[in-house]
Amino acid sequence: MYELNDTYKAHLDAIADAIQASPILAQYLEEEEDEYYEALKAEFEPQIEAAHEQINHYSPFEIESFERYLLDDRFEGLFLPRVLGYSVLRPQINEHYYYTRQNDHFGQVLNYIAGNMNFDQLRSRIGQAVQVGFALSSDIYVTGLVDAIPTKRVRQFLLQQKSDDARTAAGRKQIYDRYKRQFKSRNYQYAPFPVEPVELISHTDHMVNFLLYRVSNAELNNDALPAPLFEFATNPDFAGRRELIEPVLIYGAYLTPEEETKDAIVEVMNRERKDNGDRVTSQVMNFILRLKNDPTVTFGPEQELALGTIIDRSIDDELTAYFNLTDRIHGEGYTEPEVQEAIQEEVLKHDGLSDFNENIRQSILVYFDRLATSLGTDDYNEWYSVTGKHFPVYMKIFANEQFNQELRRLAIRYTKRLIKVHTNKRGKDYRDIKKTTVSTWTDYNFMNEKQLKEFFKTPRKRKKTES
């Protein structure tokens, strides 16, 4: 976490000064009517929210410093209910739906709200956040947090937010998921980077998820990521640790290290490959597969090519073999006979269900998927030309039923698009589509005769019943 930079401090100070100078605040302080606090909120919370969104877009490592800066009486508690919500959702949780580390940021924000002179106006907006934060925290932490609050009525309010459903993991999951849905469109993610070796186990998974969220969101500016990530990757105290590998792979695949930075990252990978070859190879293969199978993560040929640039090919190992092969797939093309021969030669060296072979299968599938997505409903001849030649080739190379089922899924998806548009059963388009589909799908074992008949059968419209 970084300290808040002076530019944002000045911006927030200006908002705070405007709040204090506001005639609405003067009316509220004089008459103590809720309607004036609501008016204050309507005028100034959007300004604070805009600044919050901006800093999280450009400088995510300063976000908690930004939020702590709001714990100042000059802001009159504005925007703190939203900050409290972010604070309970941001940390990592384990499989039992407890925080993996004590959530001190939540405690600090809640403690300030509890002592704020506008607590009565804030309490109606924090109940669910408190419930979630308490559910995911240990009883000892919650008890200590509540007991430290001096005002009895505030303590009673907070204790009322403890839910009986939080006694079970299923209940905690329900509480968490229900609340998280409210923030689906919000950018509030942040994770601290490990600085000391002792933090690697507790921080790295959260850090990896945060990085993947950032790099997979094309709307976010990630210029702030490379510097701390480079510092993490080149930390000599982290040498030989398995937690080092995944963040380095993200760096290589998404953040395009250049010149001296790239050379240093290559050296890090070389050291790890030489000292812990089998483990690192397994980690790399497994992580790439995870990225390819995660629908929330952007990982395609472009990222695989970029990742290959930090893999030194002078080292004779499985990673060199893999990236030499994927370079050819993405560079020369998956439809080239020489590339297909290279794939067949390499996959025969590995177990059929190995991560190596599964990654190669996924690298090929993405091209068939892109073909099915890019072609229009009048381009079916191109679909049949490409798939008719290359489906059988890859089905033979991989001899993998799951791969065949993925091809089947793509073929069904595209063909459904075709017959939804080309509906005239006597027309040339429909007849060509049906004829080619029946012939090829039978050859590929995608469907049998009965299934094909059902696939092309037009559903009968229900007759309207007379009333």
Side-chain angles (χ1 to χ4, degrees):
M1 182 197 68
Y2 294 172
E3 287 303 312
L4 186 63
N5 69 71
D6 290 341
T7 300
Y8 279 99
K9 284 181 181 179
H11 183 53
L12 289 179
D13 286 339
I15 295 175
D17 291 342
I19 293 171
Q20 291 303 308
S22 171
I24 299 174
L25 176 62
Q27 284 182 295
Y28 169 64
L29 294 176
E30 181 178 345
E31 302 186 31
E32 297 184 354
E33 294 292 337
D34 290 350
E35 62 182 285
Y36 296 118
Y37 190 82
E38 290 299 311
L40 200 67
K41 185 177 74 173
E43 180 175 354
F44 290 104
E45 280 201 352
Q47 298 178 40
I48 301 173
E49 182 174 21
H52 188 276
E53 290 178 353
Q54 186 178 34
I55 197 168
N56 217 12
H57 182 87
Y58 292 102
S59 304
F61 298 104
E62 298 178 38
I63 192 62
E64 289 193 353
S65 295
F66 178 101
E67 291 170 354
R68 281 202 302 276
Y69 204 77
L70 297 176
L71 306 183
D72 184 315
D73 292 346
R74 296 177 301 156
F75 293 98
E76 300 294 336
L78 296 175
F79 197 65
L80 289 186
R82 179 68 61 80
V83 169
L84 189 70
Y86 293 153
S87 75
V88 302
L89 293 175
R90 198 175 279 142
Q92 184 181 17
I93 56 176
N94 62 24
E95 67 274 16
H96 304 295
Y97 279 80
Y98 283 122
Y99 291 129
T100 58
R101 300 184 302 279
Q102 185 169 289
N103 190 353
D104 289 329
H105 188 56
F106 161 66
Q108 187 175 7
V109 176
L110 181 59
N111 186 271
Y112 178 81
I113 291 174
N116 190 273
M117 63 177 293
N118 300 308
F119 177 77
D120 288 339
Q121 283 69 40
L122 298 174
R123 62 185 291 172
S124 63
R125 301 168 60 199
I126 66 171
Q128 201 172 359
V130 174
Q131 183 187 71
V132 177
F134 283 1
L136 302 180
S137 299
S138 70
D139 288 339
I140 294 175
Y141 180 72
V142 172
T143 299
L145 183 61
V146 174
D147 286 349
I149 294 169
T151 309
K152 182 178 179 180
R153 67 182 181 86
V154 176
R155 290 200 304 270
Q156 289 175 335
F157 167 79
L158 295 178
L159 289 173
Q160 289 169 1
Q161 310 314 313
K162 295 182 72 172
S163 171
D164 289 338
D165 292 338
R167 297 179 184 275
T168 67
R172 291 189 293 275
K173 180 180 186 303
Q174 185 179 47
I175 291 169
Y176 174 79
D177 289 344
R178 184 171 58 236
Y179 189 60
K180 188 177 181 179
R181 282 195 291 270
Q182 300 178 30
F183 296 85
K184 187 176 181 181
S185 62
R186 302 286 181 177
N187 172 30
Y188 58 86
Q189 304 286 356
Y190 161 73
F193 281 21
V195 177
E196 303 293 336
V198 70
E199 296 175 334
L200 285 171
I201 294 176
S202 60
H203 287 54
T204 304
D205 286 348
H206 192 203
M207 168 192 178
V208 166
N209 291 335
F210 166 68
L211 288 171
L212 291 177
Y213 166 79
R214 295 289 305 199
V215 298
S216 296
N217 191 329
E219 297 178 356
L220 295 178
N221 182 299
N222 289 319
D223 291 347
L225 297 184
L229 192 49
F230 179 80
E231 186 176 347
F232 168 87
T234 56
N235 188 330
D237 293 335
F238 296 166
R241 295 293 297 265
R242 65 179 300 110
E243 295 85 4
L244 177 68
I245 300 302
E246 292 181 1
V248 171
L249 298 180
I250 294 172
Y251 194 0
Y254 296 97
L255 299 175
T256 320
E258 297 179 354
E259 299 176 2
E260 295 177 5
T261 303
K262 180 179 176 181
D263 292 341
I265 296 299
V266 171
E267 283 304 310
V268 168
M269 283 301 297
N270 285 354
R271 180 193 68 211
E272 298 300 310
R273 290 166 70 190
K274 292 173 182 176
D275 294 347
N276 308 281
D278 291 342
R279 190 256 293 163
V280 171
T281 295
S282 178
Q283 273 190 276
V284 174
M285 291 290 101
N286 185 266
F287 188 61
I288 297 174
L289 197 55
R290 170 190 164 183
L291 300 182
K292 291 178 178 178
N293 288 327
D294 188 340
T296 67
V297 172
T298 302
F299 189 88
E302 299 80 8
Q303 288 74 33
E304 195 157 56
L305 281 168
L307 181 54
T309 64
I310 67 167
I311 303 299
D312 186 345
R313 311 306 168 83
S314 67
I315 300 175
D316 185 15
D317 64 1
E318 202 167 281
L319 293 182
T320 289
Y322 178 80
F323 285 101
N324 282 344
L325 184 57
T326 53
D327 280 355
R328 294 193 65 183
I329 293 170
H330 304 317
E332 299 173 38
Y334 75 110
T335 60
E336 290 299 310
E338 295 82 1
V339 173
Q340 293 169 349
E341 289 175 11
I343 293 172
Q344 182 168 28
E345 181 181 343
E346 198 60 50
V347 299
L348 289 174
K349 298 176 183 177
H350 300 85
D351 179 75
L353 298 178
S354 66
D355 285 348
F356 186 103
N357 281 356
E358 178 60 18
N359 267 302
I360 297 300
R361 288 192 287 268
Q362 292 296 328
S363 291
I364 297 302
L365 277 171
V366 73
Y367 285 106
F368 287 124
D369 188 291
R370 288 184 176 186
L371 180 68
T373 302
S374 65
L375 292 179
T377 52
D378 291 330
D379 303 321
Y380 58 84
N381 284 324
E382 182 178 349
W383 169 260
Y384 292 130
S385 174
V386 175
T387 61
K389 183 175 182 180
H390 299 291
F391 270 15
V393 171
Y394 281 108
M395 291 169 76
K396 181 179 179 181
I397 288 174
F398 294 130
N400 179 269
E401 183 57 31
Q402 182 61 42
F403 177 81
N404 295 350
Q405 288 301 313
E406 289 298 315
L407 295 184
R408 179 181 185 272
R409 179 184 62 81
L410 293 176
I412 289 174
R413 188 182 78 192
Y414 182 65
T415 308
K416 280 184 175 180
R417 283 176 56 205
L418 295 180
I419 61 178
K420 189 175 181 179
V421 173
H422 302 290
T423 56
N424 181 5
K425 293 193 173 185
R426 294 183 179 178
K428 181 178 184 302
D429 289 321
Y430 183 91
R431 287 186 286 111
D432 287 348
I433 292 165
K434 182 175 181 180
K435 179 181 178 181
T436 308
T437 299
V438 169
S439 172
T440 55
W441 287 13
T442 303
D443 290 342
Y444 304 154
N445 290 320
F446 285 178
M447 287 187 182
N448 57 35
E449 185 178 342
K450 181 179 179 181
Q451 291 169 324
L452 282 162
K453 186 175 181 181
E454 189 67 25
F455 182 81
F456 283 99
K457 188 166 143 185
T458 303
R460 290 186 179 182
K461 293 183 179 179
R462 290 184 178 180
K463 293 182 179 180
K464 294 182 179 179
T465 56
E466 296 182 3
S467 55

